[in-house]
Amino acid sequence: MLRFMSTRLGFVLTLLSLYWLKTMWAYTVDFDLDIKGLYQVFLAIINPIPLGLLLIGLALYVKRTKLFYGLSIGIYLILFAWLVSNAIYYREFSDFVTVNTMLASSSVSAGLGEAALELFRPWDLVYIMDFPILIFLLYKKYIRLDERIFNTRASFAVTALSSMLFSANLFLAEIDRPELLTRGFSNYYVVRALGLPAFLGYSGNQTYSANKERSKASAEDLQPVEEYIASHHAKPNPEYYGIAKGRNVIYIHLESFQQFLIDYKLVSDGKEYEVTPFLNSLYHSNSTFAFPNVFNQVKAGKTSDAETMIETGLFGLNQGSFMVNYGGTNTQQAAPFILSQQGYQSSAVFHGNAGSFWNRNTTYKQWGYHYFFDSSYFTKQDETNSFQYGLNDKIMFKDSIKYLERMQQPFYAKFITVSNHYPYTTSLIGDEVGFPLADTKDETINGYFATANYLDAAVKSFFDYLKAAGLYDNSVIVLYGDHYGISNSRNPALAPLIDKNSETWSSYDNAMLQRIPYMVVVPGTDKGKIIPTYGGEIDMLPTLEHLLGIDSSKYLQVGQDLLSDEHQQIVAFRSSNYFVTPKYTSYSGRTYYTETGEEITLPDESTKAELDKIREAANTQLKMSDAIQTGDLLRFYTADGLGRVDASQFSYNHSMKALKKIEEERGEQSTSLYSKRGKQSSIDLFHSPTYKALHPEQFAPAPSSDNSSLDDANSSENSSSSNASP
């Protein structure tokens, strides 16, 4: 062994092996990579090798002996420093060091330096225990310096091998998570699949792309945007303006939920099963403003695009995710920050998945969220309570109560559900199984109704809690679907279930299925109704602002209040030239009459003029939003007097401790539910019975054959008696 280590190739492989061992230690002890399944384990095991070999192997091209050893050890030390700095950073921020982190704030690195001793753990000695051993072996010449020059062709072969290994690693990673690098789901995913050196390159490319667009923008670019906002603004409807002023705001994110599920009944074995009975009751309540013609406007960013729109009133990107590419760096004026300037005392997100997914743990700080309760704050996930996208909804809601009740009121809170997430076949187990599956050839479609029913029951349990705890009457609850659940490619298989024909399915039908529920529940009002206005997710923030009595006109938001008589009812999809209005639908290069679905193949001149006007309006809305987002124009905007969020004041670690501290400091002035209840917890008020408990009739044992025969005989006898003459 020592003889092999005394060769140049052997020394390189020794350093590579040490780096691999340290990386495995970090993956196991310091990082929570949410590794599930043998395939992801395999990816994590191999990913340090390709780039580790490529980088350390560069020293093999060096002919001079001392320079070879110096360079190889130097590269090894750089890899070591990158690994350890991420391990330390992760303990404080639950994320990895990005290029933006290094460039944007010297205070971060300074803070880490000051906190390094505090963050040090005894087991960190594992990271450095090889150094004295290597020094000893080299000093005692157990490892001798190899004076022989390593063959140039062999050096090239090592480089080629490492490149091939990385290509294979990337290919395997894309199998596990398609569009891993283009959609940017999570920093965790990149590290888990490709390793820390690759993540550094990925982060650098993101930073370069964002800064390239940002550097082109100037304050002068604001003028056309401000002119557009002023001309596009829809004045609030005085009948509804301010009817929810000062109330808590609670958003409930209905994952992958489409409008067609509302009032839908699934037929199975000749029986009808109402999929979402509770959401249906909300939809028809006179306390609810329900909008059946609101469409999702997401693209590759999907859920992150939906969040971007409801929080900022601006679109996601045409390519990739805004939250991933710009969320951690751009100046943003989102709902939590706006409401904090309107007397709102606290804001939080509750989500049973990893905090880094869609870069939430960074973006939420820029949006002004005080707290983010991710999976690390909830019940430990296992196969009985979660699936690949996080903790099941009923458990997430229940686990959230202990944090929600400590928040100072009025608060702004968002609950992100996950159980109704693709593939709809893995999230329900045990006593939650029971709602019938649809009968199609597509398992994804078959399971969609059961997971939607579970989500409905979870939301009902949360509403029941709000009422029992006394939060309901002083809150406004907003429920929205984020995007489609059944993709366009699967829609023909869905067609028979929604009384459509698979053979005549068209792009028009795909467009109509982009509808998502949008319901604003205002307890105590009787003005609620079903409102047919056409709109999209981009309109949700100004609608909410006006209900809260906040004038949206001074903010750079491109949506319009759905309750306003001035709403233009032009819904721009994220792809150019895709739109829908009450009269026309343009989708996938085809144009239809919205009411009938009839395709317009030869429009007359007046129709062409109408369509051109609508198309220009839709594309202009996207263009203005993109100018703000990619140019980071809000950094120049001062007209609203908001200023910018100081993200450094937010830490999402030890949030319960922070909540309790505020309660103690405010004493009798504390407005948290916990304080209002005389320091009595409300956790016991949350109840979430399983599907089996809610529907015992489905699980009642069938009568035995003997009993059936006896019942038949008795029935026959009774029938004979009743038919006999008196």
Side-chain angles (χ1 to χ4, degrees):
M1 178 62 73
L2 291 175
R3 186 175 181 182
F4 177 69
M5 292 168 63
S6 296
T7 66
R8 293 195 178 194
L9 179 60
F11 190 72
V12 165
L13 294 179
T14 297
L15 296 180
L16 176 64
S17 299
L18 292 171
Y19 171 67
W20 179 84
L21 288 169
K22 292 179 182 182
T23 302
M24 292 301 101
W25 177 262
Y27 285 0
T28 306
V29 176
D30 285 315
F31 303 147
D32 181 8
L33 297 179
D34 194 29
I35 295 174
K36 295 177 181 177
L38 292 177
Y39 192 87
Q40 291 182 2
V41 171
F42 174 72
L43 285 176
I45 289 174
I46 66 168
N47 71 49
I49 297 173
L51 290 184
L53 179 60
L54 176 66
L55 294 172
I56 301 175
L58 292 175
L60 292 171
Y61 289 96
V62 177
K63 297 180 179 180
R64 294 173 56 185
T65 302
K66 290 184 178 180
L67 188 56
F68 161 76
Y69 283 97
L71 181 59
S72 58
I73 292 173
I75 295 172
Y76 173 66
L77 289 175
I78 291 172
L79 291 172
F80 160 78
W82 181 237
L83 176 64
V84 172
S85 62
N86 272 278
I88 295 173
Y89 184 86
Y90 189 92
R91 291 170 193 168
E92 180 66 20
F93 298 101
S94 299
D95 202 357
F96 303 99
V97 181
T98 65
V99 172
N100 266 327
T101 303
M102 293 186 285
L103 295 179
S105 176
S106 59
S107 62
V108 172
S109 58
L112 277 178
E114 295 166 6
L117 291 177
E118 183 180 338
L119 295 172
F120 185 79
R121 303 290 183 268
W123 54 82
D124 287 341
L125 291 172
V126 171
Y127 289 119
I128 60 174
M129 63 188 303
D130 62 316
F131 292 151
I133 296 173
L134 278 175
I135 292 171
F136 174 79
L137 292 175
L138 287 168
Y139 179 74
K140 290 293 186 178
K141 296 187 179 179
Y142 290 113
I143 298 179
R144 297 181 177 274
L145 302 187
D146 187 0
E147 302 286 347
R148 296 170 297 173
I149 297 174
F150 197 74
N151 186 279
T152 302
R153 290 185 178 180
S155 302
F156 181 77
V158 171
T159 301
L161 174 63
S162 58
S163 300
M164 290 173 58
L165 288 174
F166 181 73
S167 298
N169 186 183
L170 181 58
F171 175 76
L172 295 173
E174 284 285 335
I175 293 175
D176 180 57
R177 176 61 66 176
E179 300 179 282
L180 173 68
L181 299 180
T182 54
R183 289 184 66 188
F185 298 95
S186 169
N187 293 345
Y188 286 55
Y189 287 9
V190 177
V191 173
R192 183 177 70 196
L194 300 176
L196 281 168
F199 170 73
L200 178 61
Y202 164 78
S203 172
N205 181 65
Q206 281 188 311
T207 301
Y208 170 76
S209 299
N211 287 344
K212 183 179 178 182
E213 293 297 323
R214 193 176 187 271
S215 63
K216 296 177 183 177
S218 66
E220 286 71 27
D221 296 320
L222 265 178
Q223 183 177 348
V225 171
E226 291 184 88
E227 291 173 356
Y228 172 80
I229 298 295
S231 64
H232 185 65
H233 175 68
K235 294 179 181 178
N237 188 325
E239 183 179 359
Y240 307 117
Y241 187 78
I243 66 171
K245 186 177 180 64
R247 295 190 183 206
N248 298 318
V249 177
I250 301 173
Y251 262 108
I252 299 180
H253 168 112
L254 304 174
E255 174 61 39
S256 304
F257 198 100
Q258 293 176 240
Q259 177 65 24
F260 80 84
L261 289 171
I262 298 296
D263 288 338
Y264 184 84
K265 294 180 180 179
L266 180 69
V267 178
S268 177
D269 294 330
K271 297 181 181 179
E272 288 187 339
Y273 295 85
E274 191 174 9
V275 178
T276 59
F278 180 69
L279 292 175
N280 296 344
S281 70
L282 291 180
Y283 180 72
H284 294 285
S285 169
N286 62 4
S287 295
T288 303
F289 298 94
F291 300 87
N293 292 316
V294 164
F295 292 76
N296 86 73
Q297 297 169 290
V298 308
K299 204 169 182 183
K302 299 195 74 177
T303 295
S304 72
D305 286 351
E307 285 195 74
T308 298
M309 285 184 276
I310 70 162
E311 300 285 16
T312 69
L314 299 169
F315 285 94
L317 304 179
N318 188 42
Q319 295 181 339
S321 163
F322 171 82
M323 288 173 63
V324 172
N325 294 333
Y326 297 93
T329 55
N330 272 24
T331 300
Q332 295 162 76
Q333 295 183 347
F337 184 48
I338 291 171
L339 294 188
S340 72
Q341 308 299 307
Q342 299 287 331
Y344 278 72
Q345 300 297 302
S346 58
S347 55
V349 180
F350 302 89
H351 182 41
N353 200 357
S356 70
F357 199 89
W358 289 126
N359 198 33
R360 286 187 174 102
N361 54 350
T362 302
T363 302
Y364 285 167
K365 293 176 182 177
Q366 295 290 347
W367 285 352
Y369 270 111
H370 297 117
Y371 310 102
F372 176 26
F373 299 96
D374 66 358
S375 57
S376 65
Y377 282 92
F378 299 142
T379 299
K380 184 176 177 60
Q381 297 182 24
D382 58 39
E383 60 185 12
T384 69
N385 61 21
S386 61
F387 71 127
Q388 60 262 47
Y389 289 101
L391 198 64
N392 283 345
D393 299 337
K394 290 180 181 179
I395 302 170
M396 184 274 292
F397 277 122
K398 183 176 182 179
D399 286 357
S400 299
I401 301 303
K402 60 179 174 285
Y403 307 115
L404 179 68
E405 67 181 3
R406 299 277 188 165
M407 291 177 62
Q408 298 296 309
Q409 301 183 72
F411 57 69
Y412 178 86
K414 180 168 64 178
F415 293 81
I416 302 178
T417 64
V418 298
S419 295
N420 192 49
H421 195 296
Y422 175 86
Y424 317 113
T425 57
T426 58
S427 57
L428 304 182
I429 61 173
D431 287 352
E432 294 296 357
V433 176
F435 192 88
L437 301 179
D439 184 17
T440 73
K441 295 180 180 180
D442 192 320
E443 289 187 4
T444 293
I445 294 173
N446 294 344
Y448 183 58
F449 302 92
T451 53
N453 176 262
Y454 172 87
L455 171 58
D456 180 78
V459 172
K460 181 181 185 302
S461 293
F462 184 62
F463 265 72
D464 290 344
Y465 162 77
L466 293 176
K467 293 174 182 177
L471 287 173
Y472 180 75
D473 291 333
N474 191 40
S475 298
V476 52
I477 303 105
V478 184
L479 303 98
Y480 73 99
D482 59 337
H483 53 73
Y484 60 82
I486 306 301
S487 63
N488 287 349
S489 63
R490 299 179 187 273
N491 281 339
L494 174 69
L497 296 179
I498 54 176
D499 297 325
K500 296 285 186 178
N501 189 330
S502 299
E503 295 181 358
T504 59
W505 191 266
S506 68
S507 293
Y508 166 80
D509 297 305
N510 284 333
M512 294 302 102
L513 277 185
Q514 303 310 309
R515 286 183 171 95
I516 53 171
Y518 178 52
M519 295 181 277
V520 184
V521 181
V522 185
T525 187
D526 59 359
K527 296 181 179 180
K529 56 186 176 180
I530 297 172
I531 301 169
T533 301
Y534 276 63
E537 288 162 318
I538 201 68
D539 300 317
M540 294 182 184
L541 179 55
T543 303
L544 174 65
E545 286 171 332
H546 288 174
L547 286 169
L548 296 175
I550 300 171
D551 182 7
S552 68
S553 64
K554 58 184 177 180
Y555 305 119
L556 296 188
Q557 300 164 2
V558 300
Q560 295 180 318
D561 179 0
L562 288 161
L563 292 167
S564 172
D565 294 333
E566 297 180 359
H567 193 284
Q568 295 177 352
Q569 299 197 78
I570 297 174
V571 185
F573 292 114
R574 182 55 266 201
S575 298
S576 295
N577 301 322
Y578 282 47
F579 60 81
V580 63
T581 73
K583 188 173 183 179
Y584 300 112
T585 294
S586 176
Y587 201 84
S588 294
R590 297 176 181 270
T591 306
Y592 306 87
Y593 288 111
T594 299
E595 188 173 347
T596 63
E598 178 187 354
E599 186 174 359
I600 303 172
T601 53
L602 296 171
D604 58 27
E605 291 303 316
S606 63
T607 301
K608 282 183 180 179
E610 267 190 281
L611 289 170
D612 287 344
K613 186 176 180 180
I614 295 169
R615 188 174 292 109
E616 181 181 2
N619 290 340
T620 299
Q621 188 183 37
L622 293 172
K623 179 182 177 181
M624 292 299 155
S625 177
D626 287 345
I628 298 170
Q629 297 286 59
T630 61
D632 192 15
L633 295 186
L634 278 167
R635 62 189 153 132
F636 305 119
Y637 188 62
T638 58
D640 58 10
L642 267 184
R644 59 188 303 169
V645 175
D646 179 9
S648 66
Q649 68 178 303
F650 302 123
S651 171
Y652 296 148
N653 294 329
H654 315 298
S655 292
M656 179 60 110
K657 183 178 178 180
L659 288 167
K660 289 180 178 179
K661 182 179 179 182
I662 292 173
E663 282 182 332
E664 292 173 3
E665 290 174 347
R666 295 194 176 186
E668 294 182 358
Q669 302 304 312
S670 172
T671 58
S672 71
L673 177 65
Y674 183 81
S675 297
K676 294 291 186 182
R677 287 173 53 86
K679 299 185 178 180
Q680 294 293 317
S681 177
S682 60
I683 294 174
D684 291 342
L685 299 177
F686 184 88
H687 304 286
S688 55
T690 63
Y691 183 87
K692 185 174 182 179
L694 290 170
H695 304 277
E697 71 283 356
Q698 282 187 230
F699 300 90
S704 66
S705 57
D706 291 341
N707 290 338
S708 296
S709 299
L710 182 59
D711 289 343
D712 290 343
N714 289 338
S715 175
S716 216
E717 183 179 341
N718 292 336
S719 178
S720 298
S721 299
S722 63
N723 291 331
S725 301

